[in-house]
Each structure stands twice: as C-alpha cells, then as structure tokens.
Amino acid sequence: MINVAHPVVGKRERQLIKEVLDSRILASGKYVTQFEQSFARYSGAKFGIASVNGTTSLHTALLMCGVKSGDKVVTTPFSFIATANSILFCNAKPIFADIDPKTFNINPVELEKILKKEKNVKAVLIVHLYGLSCDMDAILELKQKYKFKLIEDSCQAHGAEFKNKKVGSFGDASAFSFYATKNMMTGEGGIILTNDAKFDKYARQVINHGRDAHSTYTVLGYNYRLTNLAAAIGVAQLEQLENWISKRIANAQEYNEAFKDLDFLQIPCVPKNSRHVFHQYTIRVSPSQREEFIKYIADKGIGSGIYYNSVIYNQPFYKQLGYEVGLCKEAEKVAQEVVSLPIHQSLSKADIYKIIKVIKSYKNEYKNNRDRGRILRTASCKNFRTAL
Ligand SMILES: Cc1ncc(COP(=O)(O)O)c(C=O)c1O
C-alpha cells in the first residue's frame, strides 16, 4: 500500500537522538534552544518558543494575544478540530467564517461580514490549510481596519509563502505542529512564533508553569515544554525541510499535469503569489462518488485521506454548544468532496506513475456511473495557476 503519509527518520536524527540520550539531558536542553532559534530564523520571525504539540502552541498563542473568557474569536470551520478547541480552552467563543472553495482557506469577504456584524472581535485565528497560505493582503487589510489580534494556525504549512514571505511571520503570534505526519516532525511537538519580545517572555512563562526568570510564578502556566530529545529530531528535520518541500512540489506538478483534463476530479488551485508546500495534495470529487473512488484506488494499493469529512461545528460536541447545520455552506459542501492523495517526499517515481495510472483508469469506472453525480466545478481556477 502506498500510504498517504510516511514519516522519515534518517541517520542524522539517530545520531542526534543518541547524543541526547548519552548526555542524559532529556528534558529542556541545548537542542530546544537551537531548534527554537533555527525554526524562527527559517520562518522569518524574531522569537520561537518550543512546545509539546500544535494544540498547546495554539492555546499559548491565544493567551499571548490576551484572549480570555467571553471573548469572540473568528476562525474557519474547515480545519482540524484543535483549531477551534484552542479557543474553547480560553473560554472564548469561536465564530465561524466560511471558506473560499478554491483555496479551502477562510474567505476574507466572509470574514469581513462577521467583523461588521459582531462587535468587539478580540482575535482572528486563520489556518493555512494543507500547506497553502491564506490571502494575507486581504487579511492584513482587515486587521488594520477592525483592530483584532491575528493568530496564524500554521500547523500544516512549514515553509509556505505568501509573496515570498513565510507564513507564521504575519500575525501577532503563530503556531506550528511537528506531529509525526507533518512535512517535518518531532513525533509530537510544536512551536509558537512571534516578533514581539513581550509576547515571547509571556509565552515562556505559559509553557513553564507560569515561572519567570526569577523563578517566581506570576501568571497561570502549564507544562507545555518540548523535550531535548524531540527538539534534536526537529533540528535534523529542519536541515532537510527545503529539499522535502521541493519534492512535494515536484510531485504535485506531476499530478497536476496528469489530472488537469480529467472531468471527474478537480486539482488544487494555487494562487499566483503563493508557495504551496503540499502538506496535502487534495482533489475534489463528486460527493456521490467519493466513497467508491477511495475504495477503487485502495483496492489497487493507493492510500488516501479525508481531511475533513465534517466542518468543526457539525461535530457532536460543537452541536451541543448550539451551532447549527448550514452556517458555512461552502465549507459543508467541500467536506463532502475532498480526498487527499499521497504526496510525501518518500514517494518514488514508480509510486507516482502508479498513482497516476490508477487514478486515470478510474475514468472508465466513472463513465459507467456518470448519472450518479458530477463533480461540482463551481470553483474555477481563473487567476490561479494550476501548474506550479
Ligand atoms: C490545522 C491544524 N491545527 C492544529 C493541529 C494540532 O496540532 P497537534 O496535533 O500537534 O496538536 C493540527 C495537527 O494535526 C492541524 O493540522
């Protein structure tokens, strides 16, 4: 089976892990500091604060921005549930703005409708989904106009760029995940980035039980610290990230070329000014054929994933908080159509050709079932480049 994800652990990771084990400095240590500095530098931010995972990084980023009980935070409903959960951790209220189905990211027009209607929105938590930057020109313009704090959930977008600037460096704070299947990983892990020295100082307290530089406890804190072991893996992985991103982009290029004329699927659109790092290569197929398509390729040895088959507010826990079906129609529609194909850096040429061959062969299957539904080609790629 060609799996949708394949974490890479090389010689360098093993060498650094052995060094850390031999040193017996297993909790905080020199690799944590090295990793924080090198990842912040790579992403174009001044400060990096390593943390146990992407979720704790999001929680810390929201606390840094002063989000507290009763505050309103606008976000996308089409993301991993941790995005919205982190808002609930602060006892704040998630308000969902619909997405642009072309990019799968929050639609600035929908965001502005909410900002006009809702008074006193404290923060906006955007997500650069699948490795594609949100429309940062439009979002920064709204930030100027409506004066909210901006947090970037960059958990899937290490190295992604908007107009040659890396994501995670635009907002007041940002959060990344180094979960095992991400474009770079530390098993479990995360980091918060910021350009604000005061935020950096506060975040260091939040992740360390509230302790300040004088070993007194002046704020409520948690144990959200990354281990030296995990950070050592991160140091080794970061050295290879650009090479891995290039491979993902090259794989996406092969797929785009092969799939662009198939009428049963829609390839991802990439805005002209963005560098998509393809954490996921996500196509859209007709809702009535998605299950069959996934089974067809699985029977021929191709794995896939659905990220996500429901918008966050339609999950039972959120329904019980009072959110109703129909709130964000584009996101609900897209959740029925998306399929992510293997795109990772470990795919061989032979894997890529096999995947292309199998997917092209589905065409015959599709023809036989044409009456059962068509792909919703609402999202034209006009003004986007489908080739990279
Ligand atoms: C968009 C998004 N936000 C948040 C998270 C949470 O990160 P973690 O799993 O490291 O806690 C993830 C990870 O899956 C994610 O993809």
Side-chain angles (χ1 to χ4, degrees), residues 315-364:
Q315 292 294 344
F317 177 69
Y318 278 79
K319 272 196 180 153
Q320 138 206 316
L321 298 179
Y323 293 96
E324 284 177 9
V325 178
L327 195 60
C328 298
K329 295 204 166 47
E330 295 292 353
E332 289 186 16
K333 209 190 312 169
V334 157
Q336 307 303 310
E337 299 175 355
V338 286
V339 181
S340 297
L341 301 174
I343 189 75
H344 53 80
Q345 59 268 21
S346 303
L347 294 173
S348 65
K349 282 267 176 230
D351 292 334
I352 296 284
Y353 294 141
K354 180 175 173 185
I355 292 166
I356 289 174
K357 196 169 151 211
V358 167
I359 287 175
K360 279 185 161 175
S361 74
Y362 180 73
K363 203 172 166 184
N364 303 327

Side-chain angles (χ1 to χ4, degrees), residues 125-192:
L125 173 52
I126 57 170
V127 180
H128 307 297
L129 201 73
Y130 302 150
L132 175 65
S133 163
C134 293
D135 179 348
M136 294 315 300
D137 278 349
I139 286 165
L140 291 175
E141 212 173 283
L142 292 175
K143 177 171 163 62
Q144 281 282 55
K145 191 166 162 189
Y146 294 92
K147 312 280 177 226
F148 51 78
K149 292 278 188 232
L150 179 63
I151 300 128
E152 297 171 74
D153 180 338
S154 308
C155 285
Q156 302 187 0
H158 323 72
E161 291 173 9
F162 181 83
K163 293 192 172 168
N164 300 318
K165 186 170 151 64
K166 291 219 164 53
V167 303
S169 62
F170 289 92
D172 295 287
S174 65
F176 289 79
S177 165
F178 303 113
Y179 180 69
T181 58
K182 296 293 194 265
N183 286 17
M184 61 168 287
M185 63 91 198
T186 60
E188 295 272 8
I191 198 165
I192 307 117

Side-chain angles (χ1 to χ4, degrees), residues 111-135:
L111 175 58
E112 180 154 30
K113 279 186 199 160
I114 288 176
L115 293 168
K116 271 186 182 150
K117 199 169 78 184
E118 300 280 347
K119 296 286 166 257
N120 305 319
V121 166
K122 178 76 178 215
V124 172
L125 173 52
I126 57 170
V127 180
H128 307 297
L129 201 73
Y130 302 150
L132 175 65
S133 163
C134 293
D135 179 348

Side-chain angles (χ1 to χ4, degrees), residues 10 13 47 68 116 146 157 176 219 234 240 247 264 266 301 304 325 365 372 382:
E13 284 84 343
F47 306 101
K68 55 182 188 324
K116 271 186 182 150
Y146 294 92
F176 289 79
V219 300
Q240 302 163 86
K247 287 194 174 151
F264 63 87
Q266 179 161 343
S304 62
V325 178
E365 222 43 37
R372 285 207 275 128
K382 205 163 164 255

Side-chain angles (χ1 to χ4, degrees), residues 61-124:
L62 286 160
L63 292 171
M64 283 156 79
C65 289
V67 174
K68 55 182 188 324
S69 187
D71 283 343
K72 298 173 193 168
V73 180
V74 186
T75 192
T76 167
F78 195 56
S79 181
F80 184 52
I81 199 156
T83 305
N85 283 353
S86 65
I87 299 170
L88 295 180
F89 296 163
C90 303
N91 292 317
K93 183 180 176 204
I95 299 177
F96 296 101
D98 210 349
I99 59 161
D100 178 342
K102 292 196 279 299
T103 61
F104 305 109
N105 284 331
I106 197 162
N107 184 340
V109 174
E110 297 300 318
L111 175 58
E112 180 154 30
K113 279 186 199 160
I114 288 176
L115 293 168
K116 271 186 182 150
K117 199 169 78 184
E118 300 280 347
K119 296 286 166 257
N120 305 319
V121 166
K122 178 76 178 215
V124 172

